[in-house]
Amino acid sequence: MATDYYAVLGVRRDASQDEIKKAFRRLARELHPDVNPDPKTQERFKEINAAYEVLSDPQKKQVYDLGGDPLSASGGGGAGGFGAGGFGNFSDIMDAFFGQATQRGPRSRTRRGQDAMIRLEIDLNEAAFGTTKDIQVDTAVVCTTCSGEGAAPGTSAQTCDMCRGRGEVSQVTRSFLGQVMTSRPCPQCQGFGTVVPTPCPECAGDGRVRSRRTLTVKIPAGVDNGTRIQLAGEGEVGPGGGPAGDLYVEIQETPHEVFQRRGDDLHCTVTIPMTAAALGTKVQLQTLDGLEEIDIRPGTQSGQSVPLHGRGITHLRGNGRGDLIVHVEVQTPTKLDPEQERLLRELAVLRGEERPTGQFQPGQQGLFSRLKDAFNGRT
């Protein structure tokens, strides 16, 4: 009876190549003889290797799915995945244990630098209309003494005599599979393939030094707390004088003494006496655009608001601006002198809120004016 390779790997018949590979790697980590020396496990390991050899090869997989002999489709190859050269899927086994394919050849000393970030405080007016700021940054820059090479002037890097420039050394070990050759980074040159006998005295062979410099940053209108502005190539220079990363400027907006920002709208509160709320008044307010006169209509209640359209923050992405919302707070007096109390009682009688007392005959004409005069500037 033919072996069900899909069942061996524990995948569906419509599994993708990625799913097949993940299943094989998971089982290989569990069943590899170096991890589990049980003879039964060794046989199971051969089964999953044979299944993967067929299902990972599109041509063999097609023949197998049609009911044919997958091993004859490619002209042979021993059962269980062991060919003339030993273990057929050794690179995938290495992937299973180390997570990625081993790198071949020397690695470059030159690498891209890291990104950097600084925080910049601006006020509400600068956030609303944009500004330009000079900032100081402390990052790694190319060493001018060695121009990023890492070697002292007049010297240069030399080929490593241990790995002969390959960046790796090989080792042969014996296992149940036979002789297996493994490679690892050269311990003398750390995988670079070259060594620097005389490092640059300025950068100690790193090819970069730290330096403080001044940059000019354009802050667009409409930025908010947490907005990040990217300056490409202004971050840390990489080892060996490699290309610089990016610099991110994160905006921190300082609180305003009058306005509170909510998105692109601004909010503020004005306090008026109750007589002004009843009679109506005009209040002058210093906005981001200058002095403006706010019209408070008669009968305005505490908590009502007056919108000033287009007096808020500039939209960062788009045209126009938000609004300025002026919240009205009506102030009620806490202490009354006799005259103020008398006038308020007259008003209450006129409004039917209190029965008249005493011998006075309340009249409405001129009462609001007297109230306003009595309460003007007093609480």
Side-chain angles (χ1 to χ4, degrees):
M1 182 176 179
T3 303
D4 186 348
Y5 289 142
Y6 292 100
V8 169
L9 293 181
V11 297
R12 304 185 312 272
R13 298 191 69 86
D14 60 349
S16 66
Q17 284 296 319
D18 186 57
E19 291 173 329
I20 291 172
K21 178 172 286 190
K22 287 181 179 179
F24 171 72
R25 290 180 177 177
R26 175 178 55 80
L27 292 171
R29 286 193 295 268
E30 296 175 2
L31 303 174
H32 194 281
D34 290 344
V35 177
N36 194 334
D38 188 344
K40 293 183 179 180
T41 301
Q42 182 173 335
E43 292 301 319
R44 172 73 172 136
F45 184 71
K46 291 180 180 180
E47 289 179 3
I48 67 167
N49 186 66
Y52 182 68
E53 181 184 11
V54 172
L55 298 184
S56 64
D57 186 312
Q59 183 180 3
K60 293 180 182 179
K61 183 176 181 296
Q62 183 180 18
V63 172
Y64 174 74
D65 290 341
L66 294 175
D69 182 3
L71 298 179
S72 64
S74 60
F82 296 91
F87 189 60
N89 291 305
F90 182 72
S91 61
D92 288 311
I93 289 294
M94 295 299 291
D95 287 352
F97 281 94
F98 300 105
Q100 61 181 8
T102 54
Q103 179 179 345
R104 308 292 295 182
R107 58 192 180 101
S108 175
R109 290 185 179 273
T110 302
R111 301 192 301 277
R112 183 184 184 274
Q114 293 183 342
D115 296 336
M117 188 185 75
I118 65 169
R119 290 180 173 85
L120 176 64
E121 286 192 351
I122 62 174
D123 59 34
L124 182 63
N125 193 76
E126 293 170 328
F129 302 111
T131 186
T132 300
K133 291 278 191 178
D134 288 336
I135 60 174
Q136 286 192 331
V137 294
D138 187 358
T139 61
V141 298
V142 175
C143 175
T144 56
T145 302
C146 65
S147 301
E149 296 295 330
T155 67
S156 61
Q158 297 179 2
T159 301
C160 175
D161 57 9
M162 177 176 286
C163 66
R164 298 183 181 181
R166 292 177 300 165
E168 59 184 15
V169 291
S170 300
Q171 181 180 8
V172 178
T173 58
R174 297 184 62 84
S175 73
F176 78 101
L177 302 174
Q179 290 187 340
V180 177
M181 179 177 292
T182 58
S183 298
R184 60 187 177 90
C186 174
Q188 180 166 295
C189 66
Q190 286 76 51
F192 294 117
T194 59
V195 293
V196 181
T198 310
C200 172
E202 185 68 24
C203 64
D206 192 40
R208 54 183 181 169
V209 294
R210 300 205 69 81
S211 176
R212 178 166 294 182
R213 53 204 172 98
T214 301
L215 297 175
T216 300
V217 184
K218 183 178 180 181
I219 310 298
V223 294
D224 200 352
N225 269 325
T227 300
R228 290 186 179 182
I229 301 171
Q230 181 182 12
L231 302 180
E234 296 293 351
E236 302 276 355
V237 165
D246 298 333
L247 174 66
Y248 291 89
V249 180
E250 184 175 274
I251 299 300
Q252 294 292 319
E253 185 181 304
T254 56
H256 194 272
E257 59 183 4
V258 175
F259 302 115
Q260 297 83 44
R261 179 175 178 177
R262 301 175 192 170
D264 289 341
D265 293 335
L266 296 178
H267 295 256
C268 71
T269 300
V270 295
T271 303
I272 61 174
M274 66 177 189
T275 52
L279 299 173
T281 187
K282 293 185 182 297
V283 178
Q284 288 190 331
L285 177 66
Q286 187 69 38
T287 71
L288 298 182
D289 298 275
L291 193 64
E292 301 234 4
E293 192 171 72
I294 313 300
D295 185 19
I296 307 297
R297 295 182 179 182
T300 296
Q301 302 297 306
S302 188
Q304 289 185 329
S305 59
V306 179
L308 298 181
H309 299 294
R311 295 294 187 271
I313 304 295
T314 303
H315 298 315
L316 181 60
R317 296 176 180 86
N319 299 321
R321 295 169 58 183
D323 300 330
L324 171 58
I325 311 299
V326 181
H327 300 271
V328 179
E329 182 181 88
V330 178
Q331 190 176 51
T332 303
T334 56
K335 294 182 180 179
L336 299 175
D337 61 26
E339 177 64 13
Q340 291 172 337
E341 183 177 357
R342 185 184 68 81
L343 291 172
L344 281 178
R345 290 190 182 279
E346 286 189 40
L347 177 61
V349 171
L350 287 173
R351 292 175 57 85
E353 299 169 354
E354 184 176 314
R355 292 183 179 182
T357 58
Q359 301 299 319
F360 70 87
Q361 296 293 327
Q364 186 171 1
Q365 184 177 7
L367 179 58
F368 277 107
S369 296
R370 297 199 304 275
L371 281 169
K372 183 176 182 181
D373 292 339
F375 285 95
N376 186 24
R378 301 180 63 179
T379 59

